[in-house]
């Protein structure tokens, strides 16, 4: 009796899987940014109160948070591929809901389901991008994982703004195209190689919690106010800028809405990529300073109703958002083992999206009693305070560390700048995790 050999499952080449994972991850956030210019259009069409607009914006963030808490670590147990495929199928369903939405209730439901899909996929995608990266490109993988959300959000807002300006069927056009992209993305996920081995505990991982490895806890805590300031600023641009342009600057243009929202996340994506040569700590310091200064310029632009200042503040603040988030990810990623990464990224994005969504809801509720101008200025003051606290926390953790770890040969090593190093004599240096647990470094 002749038995047929087992069929070998064909998968994409590692370089293709790396590029595809990064592109699909960004596309997920293009879809997340796409509704922003449409929300003010929906408000004009369906005549709902202004505070409902912020609920429609923030329902995405709340759905994402719920999914992160429940499924953030799931891919560490069942594998990246099943989580990514399932999430992209749910995202496809959310895109169809947007296409056929007939009132704001449908939009809020679609945003919530979109948030759930994005939350389930985000930590798995972040880990997958890093793991598919070639060994000599792991640092680039971490940078891409950090900039894909910001770049996607900005591009989604820009493209939708253009659709609003030049098409009378912008919603159907945008979300039909995104539905097709999600189908393509599902194919990429299905044919990419699995990067982690399944392990027990999948059901237990669904208990709502975050998982922060012991080696990463100190750095994680120090990065919390950094993430808060950066993502509050992102929430300000994504959630309130279209309303600011319409009600405070008396500007009514879908393209202008999309372009103004685009400035901040686009600058964040470029900064996260361009500043990759700096050490993570320096990148975080630069980012926190950019968030603080950019917010101050933004508030000046809002107070004086000056659009160029709003753009300039978005540019400076965007550099700050991208630098601080990318630097913080590069600091903590080497401190987690592969099977801990999804849980750690879930904790990072939990802080990020609490800061992204909850303040926007509070601001929406305060607009009626305080007025839009005073609400936005108060929002900016909180961002500045959080950024200052983040800079202080980073300075304190920096000054408590020894200036440099060394190999036995006297060679200097930078523990948080990438994969394990090799000394001049050719012997392998300790891994970043080992270095940080014994002699933490910043430089």
């Amino acid at each position: 009796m002749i038995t047929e050999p087992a069929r070998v499952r064909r998968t994409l080449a590692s370089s293709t899987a790396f590029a595809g994972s990064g592109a699909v991850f960004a596309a997920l956030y293009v879809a997340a940014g796409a509704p922003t210019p449409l929300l003010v259009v929906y408000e004009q069409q369906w005549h709902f109160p202004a505070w409902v607009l912020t609920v429609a914006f923030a329902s995405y963030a709340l759905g994402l948070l719920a999914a992160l808490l429940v499924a953030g670590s799931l891919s560490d147990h069942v594998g990246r591929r099943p989580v990514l495929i399932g999430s992209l199928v749910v995202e496809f369903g959310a895109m169809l809901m947007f296409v056929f939405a007939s009132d704001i209730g449908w939009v809020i439901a679609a945003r919530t389901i979109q948030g759930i899909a994005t939350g389930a996929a985000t930590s798995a995608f972040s880990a997958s991008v890093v793991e598919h990266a070639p060994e000599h490109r792991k640092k680039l993988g971490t940078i891409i994982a950090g900039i894909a959300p910001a770049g996607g959000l900005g591009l989604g807002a820009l493209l939708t703004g253009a659709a609003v300006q030049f098409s009378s069927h912008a919603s159907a056009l945008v979300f039909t195209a995104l539905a097709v992209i999600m189908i393509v993305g599902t194919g990429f996920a299905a044919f990419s190689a699995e990067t982690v081995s399944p392990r027990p505990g999948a059901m237990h991982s669904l208990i709502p919690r975050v998982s922060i490895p012991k080696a990463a806890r100190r750095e994680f805590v120090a990065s919390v106010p950094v993430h808060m300031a950066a993502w509050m600023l992102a929430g300000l641009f994504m959630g309130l800028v279209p309303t600011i342009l319409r009600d405070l600057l008396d500007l009514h243009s879908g393209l202008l809405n999309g372009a103004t929202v685009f400035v901040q996340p686009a600058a964040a994506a470029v900064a996260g990529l361009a500043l990759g040569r700096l050490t993570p700590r320096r990148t975080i310091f630069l980012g926190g300073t950019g968030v603080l200064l950019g917010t101050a310029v933004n508030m000046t632009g809002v107070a004086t109703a000056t659009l160029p200042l709003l753009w300039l503040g978005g540019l400076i603040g965007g550099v700050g958002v991208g630098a601080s988030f990318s630097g913080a990810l590069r600091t903590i990623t080497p401190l987690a083992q592969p099977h801990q990464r999804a849980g750690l990224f879930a904790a990072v994005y939990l802080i990020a999206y609490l800061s992204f969504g909850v303040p926007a809801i509070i601001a929406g509720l305060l607009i009626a009693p305080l007025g839009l101008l005073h609400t936005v200025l108060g929002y900016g003051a909180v961002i500045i305070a959080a950024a200052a606290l983040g800079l202080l926390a980073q300075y304190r953790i920096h000054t408590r560390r020894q200036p440099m770890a060394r190999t036995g040969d006297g060679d200097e090593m930078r523990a948080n700048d990438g994969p394990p190093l090799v000394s001049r004599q050719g012997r392998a240096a300790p891994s970043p995790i080992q270095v940080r647990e014994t002699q933490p470094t910043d430089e």
Side-chain angles (χ1 to χ4, degrees):
M1 180 177 179
I2 300 175
T3 59
E4 294 185 4
R7 297 180 64 182
V8 178
R9 184 179 183 276
R10 290 191 173 186
T11 58
L12 298 172
S14 58
S15 58
T16 304
F18 173 49
S21 295
V24 179
F25 189 22
L28 198 67
Y29 279 87
V30 169
T36 298
L38 284 166
L39 292 179
V40 292
V41 176
Y42 295 148
E43 183 184 6
Q44 293 169 348
Q45 289 179 346
W46 297 327
H47 308 290
F48 51 81
W51 64 268
V52 176
L53 187 147
T54 57
V55 171
F57 165 77
S59 59
Y60 159 82
L62 297 180
L64 187 147
L65 289 171
L68 277 174
L69 283 171
V70 174
S73 300
L74 183 62
S75 73
D76 285 337
H77 298 273
V78 302
R80 312 295 185 216
R81 193 167 56 217
V83 173
L84 294 179
I85 292 172
S87 300
L88 290 168
V89 169
V90 174
E91 182 77 9
F92 170 75
M95 297 301 99
L96 293 183
M97 289 180 68
F98 277 116
V99 171
F100 296 106
S102 57
D103 57 41
I104 192 60
W106 274 93
V107 171
I108 292 174
R111 284 290 276 171
T112 303
I113 293 174
Q114 181 184 36
I116 292 170
T118 307
T122 290
S123 57
F125 258 127
S126 298
S128 178
V129 170
V130 173
E131 290 157 0
H132 277 300
E135 285 301 320
H136 64 290
R137 296 292 186 188
K138 293 298 183 186
K139 181 178 176 181
L140 176 61
T142 304
I143 292 172
I144 290 175
I147 68 174
L153 286 170
L155 186 60
L158 179 64
L159 294 178
T160 303
V164 170
Q165 186 70 31
F166 299 113
S167 172
S168 58
H169 304 285
S171 183
L173 177 66
V174 168
F175 293 113
T176 299
L178 287 170
V180 173
I181 290 172
M182 294 309 147
I183 294 174
V184 175
T186 303
F188 262 103
F191 287 98
S192 294
E194 182 57 74
T195 54
V196 294
S197 300
R199 62 190 184 95
M203 294 303 296
H204 188 260
S205 73
L206 297 178
I207 298 173
R209 62 178 180 176
V210 294
S211 176
I212 306 168
K214 185 176 180 180
R217 288 174 188 170
R218 188 178 180 186
E219 289 286 1
F220 178 84
V221 171
S223 71
V224 166
V226 173
H227 293 313
M228 287 178 61
W231 285 82
M232 282 183 67
L233 181 57
L236 173 66
F237 260 75
M238 299 299 296
L240 291 176
V241 157
T243 304
I244 291 170
L245 292 178
R246 184 191 63 190
D247 294 349
L248 296 182
L249 278 69
D250 197 26
L251 298 172
H252 305 269
S253 166
L255 183 60
L256 186 61
N257 281 344
T260 305
V261 171
F262 171 77
V263 168
Q264 192 258 11
V270 172
L273 185 62
L275 299 175
R277 293 183 179 275
L278 295 181
T279 63
R281 188 78 60 203
R282 288 174 180 169
T283 307
I284 296 172
F285 276 123
L286 178 62
T289 303
V291 169
L292 194 155
L293 293 178
T295 303
V297 174
N298 278 146
M299 295 307 101
T300 304
V302 170
T304 60
T306 305
L307 182 60
L309 285 180
L310 202 60
W311 288 337
L312 178 61
L315 185 63
I316 297 171
V319 171
V321 170
S324 59
F325 191 62
S326 175
L329 281 185
R330 286 168 52 203
T331 299
I332 64 173
T333 298
L335 305 179
Q337 299 288 349
H339 67 275
Q340 299 171 323
R341 284 179 186 149
L344 178 59
F345 285 132
V348 170
Y349 281 101
L350 178 67
I351 298 298
Y353 274 93
L354 278 172
S355 306
F356 184 77
V358 174
I361 293 178
I362 295 173
L365 296 174
L366 292 176
I367 288 175
L370 299 182
L372 179 61
L373 177 60
H374 292 96
T375 299
V376 172
L377 293 179
Y379 194 124
V382 175
I383 295 174
I384 291 172
L389 182 60
L391 289 172
L392 177 61
Q394 291 296 316
Y395 176 77
R396 292 186 65 183
I397 199 171
H398 171 73
T399 55
R400 288 178 180 178
R401 293 192 178 282
Q402 296 184 15
M404 192 70 66
R406 297 178 181 273
T407 67
D409 310 305
D411 290 346
E412 295 179 344
M413 298 189 307
R414 289 169 172 80
N416 58 354
D417 278 347
L421 304 177
V422 178
S423 69
R424 284 193 295 269
Q425 282 74 16
R427 294 194 296 274
S431 72
I433 294 175
Q434 293 170 327
V435 172
R436 279 192 172 273
E437 289 177 344
T438 55
Q439 297 182 24
T441 73
D442 295 310
E443 296 290 287

